[in-house]
Amino acid sequence: MADRMAISTLTLRHRIPDDWAADPWAEVRPLIDGTDVLREVHPEGMAPSCRHWTGPAESWPLAVTEEPRRIMITEPVCTAGCCGALYVTMRREGDRVIWDGWENTSDVTALPPDFCFDAAQYEAELARAAADRGWEEPVDTVARLLERILAGSGWFERWGCVLTGVWPRREEPGVPEELAVPEGVDVEFRQVRKPGERTCSYRYELPVAHDQPAEEQARRLAARILADDPRKTAELC
């Protein structure tokens, strides 16, 4: 099958969503031969977030093996069950990668064509995108570094808690200055409870500056959190 198909080129581009409140991290959007073919058939769909590209290569959203795998390649800002999503089956056949078996569960019934990629180019592009930091704004870099420090510290576990997420907090366009939330980083964690017990969730809303090194800011914010019982210094949410 792969020998009869034209070879396409995959390019992955980080893009901060317009409606970033649903997920403030950048989506990693696939372009095929330079065209966003997924937007043509699922215009409201978002590609998997860059936070899903931080683990081992086999866990990346677009990773392939000889065993076919069906993935949700774009989803709405609500849920797939609400507004539908776009699915594709991908697999490796020798030195080729195949995308086919498309399914569109949104109101748009159109589907992209099947695609064939050179496996070496495809896998190199996945690795490049996973390592790409050039798209980051200061809030993204600080959030990424801070999450790495906190996740590896074991601090929340010491207090019977678990870290649930670290997110960049961006300025909202069109919001009056007196109502705008300043740019920064949000850290959320929850207390581990026994089954049936009420779970308490906590949040830090931390400032980020544009004129200071991101590494320095991440270390300083981490030191603030690691200085005391986080259940006392964070806010309930």
Side-chain angles (χ1 to χ4, degrees):
M1 173 185 175
D3 293 338
R4 299 194 300 270
M5 299 176 64
I7 305 300
S8 292
T9 299
L10 176 71
T11 305
L12 297 173
R13 180 174 299 168
H14 288 76
R15 176 183 175 276
I16 297 172
D18 297 327
D19 185 4
W20 57 262
D23 188 339
W25 288 107
E27 59 176 333
V28 182
R29 196 147 192 101
L31 306 183
I32 301 174
D33 298 326
T35 300
D36 191 342
V37 297
L38 306 186
R39 186 171 298 281
E40 296 176 359
V41 300
H42 193 214
E44 303 303 321
M46 292 173 56
S49 166
C50 65
R51 59 194 171 91
H52 298 305
W53 289 82
T54 56
E58 58 269 20
S59 71
W60 296 341
L62 303 184
V64 294
T65 64
E66 292 182 0
E67 186 70 24
R69 55 188 294 260
R70 180 176 181 266
I71 72 160
M72 182 166 59
I73 197 166
T74 62
E75 61 180 323
V77 295
C78 50
T79 66
C82 174
C83 295
L86 183 65
Y87 300 85
V88 66
T89 297
M90 51 183 59
R91 66 189 179 281
R92 180 166 180 163
E93 290 185 0
D95 61 353
R96 299 288 185 263
V97 171
I98 308 298
W99 287 11
D100 60 12
W102 295 92
E103 181 186 6
N104 192 344
T105 61
S106 72
D107 292 337
V108 180
T109 58
L111 294 172
D114 297 342
F115 293 103
C116 178
F117 307 95
D118 176 78
Q121 186 275 325
Y122 182 96
E123 292 176 352
E125 180 61 10
L126 265 60
R128 184 205 63 78
D132 183 14
R133 303 287 181 243
W135 61 272
E136 290 185 344
E137 298 177 355
V139 290
D140 301 295
T141 306
V142 174
R144 174 174 55 83
L145 296 175
L146 180 59
E147 182 173 35
R148 181 186 303 170
I149 296 171
L150 296 177
S153 69
W155 185 250
F156 294 98
E157 291 79 2
R158 173 177 174 178
W159 303 98
C161 299
V162 60
L163 179 68
T164 53
V166 179
W167 294 277
R169 184 179 65 253
R170 308 181 193 281
E171 293 182 352
E172 297 185 59
V175 176
E177 184 176 351
E178 62 273 13
L179 300 177
V181 178
E183 200 170 66
V185 171
D186 294 334
V187 176
E188 294 186 3
F189 64 96
R190 61 178 174 81
Q191 193 164 9
V192 178
R193 298 287 194 177
K194 295 179 181 178
E197 292 184 342
R198 180 176 177 273
T199 298
C200 293
S201 296
Y202 301 84
R203 170 183 291 185
Y204 290 99
E205 294 183 355
L206 307 169
V208 168
H210 283 258
D211 59 350
Q212 299 175 22
E215 295 81 0
E216 178 183 312
Q217 293 188 72
R219 288 194 297 269
R220 184 172 65 249
L221 295 174
R224 169 181 166 183
I225 294 173
L226 301 176
D228 200 353
D229 181 347
R231 297 169 298 179
K232 295 179 180 178
T233 58
E235 296 182 358
L236 281 167
C237 61

